[in-house]
Amino acid sequence: MSGLPPLREVIARHGLAARRSLGQHFLLDLNLTARIVRAAGAMAGRHAIEIGPGPGGLTRALLASDAASVTAIERDPRCVTALADLRAAHPDRLRLVEADALTVDLAALAPPPRKVVANLPYNVATPLLVGWLAQAGAFESLTLMFQLEVAERIVARPGTAAYGRLAVLAQWLAAVRIVLRLPPAAFTPPPKVASAVVQLVPRPHQPEGALFAAMERVTAAAFGRRRKMLKGALAPLGDAARLLAEAGIDPARRAETVTAGEFERLARALLRAGGG
């Protein structure tokens, strides 16, 4: 963006050495940040929400798009200060919220249609995603950077080693796909692992809160003891044999073979049994 200092200058001026405790790895290549925003799809009329903007690389790309507004959540006071030039350049479109994203209700920050586009802090990426999935219907899409291993767990298919609770919840509530892979060298400082951008497009019909809670319980039980057959793994939920019979699932199967749709049948059976 014309008139703004280069990102490396911003980092140097404000002493923005990335902090491991905050899971920070800055993405400074403006070609890559532009690709991430393009991967998020049409932005015209949408309100973008970003988490952990750091020195503002992805924020600049979002502001260069047709997004109606950009709301960035940042907990590091150094980065809040470093974003001053960007805020001054876009006083009507950029809102900076100084807060911990784990404690913020994203849907309350911007009107619909909302899109989340973020290079997530790696140390809290999974809990952030699970929290947002509980209100997936509030978002048009979520385009998020994860460690590659986490990204592969989100899109994993049943019967694969990476398939687990995160895949079930994500794929139950959204269409998911990896849209971009990035090597460690793309970041400053380079992380020890590769990264990937996952796009989640929430399904038109989202479950009510009670069913989501029941789904969390059955998946936690099933994958908490994934080496056991389901009849044993689900025992803490009550009459596992009855739940499995109602859901039409062989009790000798293991969690990694069960599809999201089958887990939903289990969750509904749990609700009927009064265990939601």
Side-chain angles (χ1 to χ4, degrees):
M1 288 186 176
S2 59
L4 291 172
L7 289 170
R8 292 190 184 278
E9 180 180 316
V10 172
I11 290 173
R13 188 197 317 163
H14 296 278
L16 290 186
R19 290 180 176 171
R20 186 180 300 274
S21 63
L22 298 178
Q24 292 175 329
H25 294 282
F26 300 142
L27 190 58
L28 307 183
D29 186 328
L30 298 183
N31 290 318
L32 287 176
T33 57
R35 286 180 64 187
I36 294 170
V37 173
R38 287 197 298 272
M43 297 300 295
R46 276 73 167 186
H47 297 275
I49 302 173
E50 182 190 6
I51 290 80
L58 183 57
T59 317
R60 294 186 184 195
L62 287 166
L63 288 167
S65 76
D66 293 328
S69 71
V70 178
T71 299
I73 304 167
E74 179 57 69
R75 62 173 291 192
D76 186 342
R78 302 173 307 151
C79 295
V80 172
T81 301
L83 291 166
D85 288 341
L86 201 51
R87 295 171 71 185
H90 299 275
D92 299 325
R93 290 179 66 222
L94 176 60
R95 176 188 179 197
L96 186 60
V97 178
E98 190 170 359
D100 184 341
L102 285 168
T103 67
V104 174
D105 178 2
L106 292 196
L109 294 179
R114 310 175 190 89
K115 287 190 174 187
V116 184
V117 185
N119 172 19
L120 297 179
Y122 287 165
N123 58 343
V124 293
T126 298
L128 282 173
L129 176 59
V130 173
W132 298 335
L133 287 173
Q135 54 173 341
F139 308 109
E140 183 176 309
S141 67
L142 302 98
T143 305
L144 309 171
M145 179 88 71
F146 298 93
Q147 291 183 5
L148 180 59
E149 178 185 358
V150 176
E152 290 175 339
R153 285 170 48 207
I154 294 169
V155 304
R157 309 308 302 171
T160 62
Y163 185 70
R165 186 168 181 246
L166 189 58
V168 172
L169 292 176
Q171 294 174 36
W172 177 48
L173 298 166
V176 303
R177 65 190 181 106
I178 291 177
V179 295
L180 185 64
R181 289 176 169 82
L182 292 92
F187 300 87
T188 301
K192 295 180 179 179
V193 296
S195 303
V197 177
V198 178
Q199 185 176 66
L200 301 96
V201 178
R203 302 190 187 284
H205 303 290
Q206 293 291 312
E208 65 275 15
L211 180 57
F212 182 87
M215 191 73 158
E216 286 193 302
R217 288 195 67 200
V218 296
T219 54
F223 288 104
R225 298 194 289 177
R226 64 185 296 156
R227 292 174 181 256
K228 289 183 173 290
M229 291 185 288
L230 288 173
K231 62 182 179 183
L234 299 179
L237 301 181
D239 189 343
R242 178 180 174 184
L243 293 176
L244 289 160
E246 284 194 31
I249 297 172
D250 184 344
R253 289 172 63 186
R254 289 177 169 79
E256 63 265 22
T257 71
V258 181
T259 67
E262 290 174 319
F263 271 115
E264 180 180 340
R265 298 207 302 266
L266 275 171
R268 290 187 183 279
L270 183 64
L271 281 178
R272 289 193 294 271

